[in-house]
Amino acid sequence: NFPIVRIYGGLKGSGTHDDAIRHMLDCMGHIHFVESEEAKQNLIKFGEEPWRIFVCGISHLDDIELDYSSCPAQPYAVVLMNPVTISRDQTVMDCMVAMDEAKRFVDETRGYVVVLPPNGDLYSDSVLNVIHSRTRFIGSKALVYDERMLRDKFLALLEKCAYFISNSSATKYEFPVVNPHGDVYNPSWRNQERTKPPKLESGGSDKIIQML
């Protein structure tokens, strides 16, 4: 008999198995704290009663001090490819396109490319295989990280990079906030259908606490 508070429901369009799980959690929530008016309207379309839904913004960027120690001094691109969990073949093709685009960036700018590992979902092994096979064509200009980066370093990389090559939701959320003038290239249909709220407001942590 405990009420369930669902945080950040009403999202859709990631192109992974996550969509089904998110919808299931939406159906279980008694009270919803959502990031945007769009997410609220999605829940209403699913049949949720409007009085249960509160728009609070995001907490992704709350109380984080950026660590720039991993940022190259020269211009650089960041590559972050996560698997398309419904297709290994699609995962491989998308990652090959991403690494080819990274090589083009290095050839044209003489800069670096920082390559980050995937999120660990199904077919992440295919992502890693493509990364390690393709970075040999880039050579010493490719800085490959084998472990996931802490959030303060990751956001610092995004803030300073010239180009973000990724199919991650970070292209819709973190990157536009920390680097509004940077360029994004998504070589996959993963997350392309996910729409970025017209206005991202941080401070969601405090708003959720206040509302509770």
Side-chain angles (χ1 to χ4, degrees):
N1 294 321
F2 284 95
I4 295 175
V5 175
R6 166 73 165 132
I7 299 177
Y8 301 138
L11 302 179
K12 60 180 182 178
S14 69
T16 70
H17 290 302
D18 292 357
D19 284 340
I21 298 172
R22 287 191 183 103
H23 180 62
M24 178 185 69
L25 293 174
D26 288 346
C27 294
M28 293 171 63
H30 295 91
I31 299 295
H32 299 268
F33 294 120
V34 299
E35 65 177 32
S36 65
E37 185 64 31
E38 178 187 29
K40 177 179 179 179
Q41 293 305 317
N42 287 338
L43 287 176
I44 292 174
K45 290 177 183 177
F46 291 154
E48 287 295 313
E49 299 166 293
W51 68 268
R52 299 178 182 272
I53 310 168
F54 302 87
V55 179
C56 65
I58 63 173
S59 64
H60 308 170
L61 306 175
D62 292 352
D63 302 323
I64 295 178
E65 294 184 7
L66 302 188
D67 180 352
Y68 298 97
S69 60
S70 299
C71 299
Q74 296 83 1
Y76 65 92
V78 172
V79 177
L80 171 58
M81 292 298 294
N82 290 321
V84 178
T85 58
I86 58 176
S87 173
R88 184 183 292 276
D89 290 341
Q90 188 67 49
T91 295
V92 171
M93 288 188 292
D94 292 348
C95 292
M96 291 176 66
V97 173
M99 295 307 298
D100 288 345
E101 180 66 11
K103 184 177 186 305
R104 183 196 66 79
F105 173 86
V106 171
D107 291 342
E108 291 185 1
T109 67
R110 302 301 178 188
Y112 285 83
V113 56
V114 178
V115 185
L116 303 178
N119 58 11
D121 282 352
L122 183 66
Y123 305 140
S124 284
D125 59 322
S126 295
V127 178
L128 295 173
N129 289 338
V130 173
I131 287 174
H132 292 298
S133 66
R134 292 276 170 157
T135 48
R136 62 189 177 91
F137 297 109
I138 302 176
S140 61
K141 292 288 187 176
L143 308 176
V144 181
Y145 286 83
D146 293 324
E147 296 183 358
R148 298 278 285 178
M149 187 170 285
L150 293 177
R151 195 161 183 78
D152 55 353
K153 290 187 176 182
F154 172 63
L155 292 176
L157 274 177
L158 293 190
E159 182 185 290
K160 297 295 184 181
C161 77
Y163 199 25
F164 188 27
I165 303 170
S166 178
N167 62 0
S168 166
S169 60
T171 61
K172 306 284 187 180
Y173 292 90
E174 289 88 343
F175 187 74
V177 174
V178 300
N179 192 346
H181 304 296
D183 293 322
V184 172
Y185 175 65
N186 183 354
S188 173
W189 51 262
R190 184 184 187 276
N191 274 318
Q192 284 194 353
E193 293 184 4
R194 179 182 289 185
T195 56
K196 181 177 76 68
K199 184 179 181 182
L200 281 173
E201 295 186 4
S202 59
S205 302
D206 291 336
K207 293 177 183 176
I208 290 173
I209 292 171
Q210 291 170 2
M211 292 174 181
L212 284 175

